[in-house]
Amino acid sequence: MGRFDTERKEMIEELKNKGITDANVLDALAKVERHLFVDPMFVNKAYEDSALPIASEQTISQPYTVAFMTQALQLKKDMKVLEIGTGSGYQATILATMGCRVFTIERHLSLLNNARKMFDKLNLRVAAKGGDGTIGWKEHAPYDGIIVTAGSPTIPEPLMHQLAEGGRIVIPIGTKEFQSLAIGIKIKDKLEVKEVEGFKFVPLIGKNAWS
Ligand code: SAM
């Protein structure tokens, strides 16, 4: 048994009790060692269902939020996914563990470099770059899924364009303090969106979001 295996199993039970049903998502969260992605100071809290501080005044999202957003994308193996906000690299690792081809963008280069080291160490299929994710990553578009892990006032226009027909986007939308999760599916070049209330993220800062 590895360190924290019991805690990780308990976290999965908690996520099931909170309504996460996608077996691929639950399998990935059961495999990925979240304690490797948190600040060593908070390692004993790694399997609590809460967001935790990381460097550059950012956060690693709450496991329930990671699971809920990933489930909303309805992903299958080999699908191409763009993540905006690499942070610790945990969400990208979940996506890669599910067999997706992952592209991720982070504006803080120190976070990006740490996450890249982790992707290399874990031998994952993740392409990561530094920069403003609100303009997307055109070279690899279209994407079957786009996940934005920071809160935006609206859905950035370039991300809508870079989504494949039938593709899904999940993004927190609202004020800087509180957001709803917008879950959109692109049908005939238009986005059909539903919103789920009650989330809180750090702000998405860039050309097509907060300044
Ligand atoms: N997905 C991350 C993880 O698994 O640890 C959590 C990310 S944290 C909640 C949000 C991240 O979005 C921060 O690291 C922040 O620097 C980044 N961010 C904010 N605005 C951005 C932008 N325009 N482009 C890229 N990253 C951005």
Side-chain angles (χ1 to χ4, degrees), residues 54 58-61 66 83-92 105-108 111 131-134 149-150 201-206:
I54 55 173
Q58 302 303 317
T59 53
I60 175 172
S61 303
V66 171
E83 179 197 28
I84 313 303
T86 317
S88 68
Y90 178 70
Q91 172 74 71
I105 309 176
E106 171 57 55
R107 65 185 288 273
H108 284 291
L111 289 177
D132 177 8
T134 69
T149 65
F201 286 80
V202 294
L204 183 71
I205 295 169

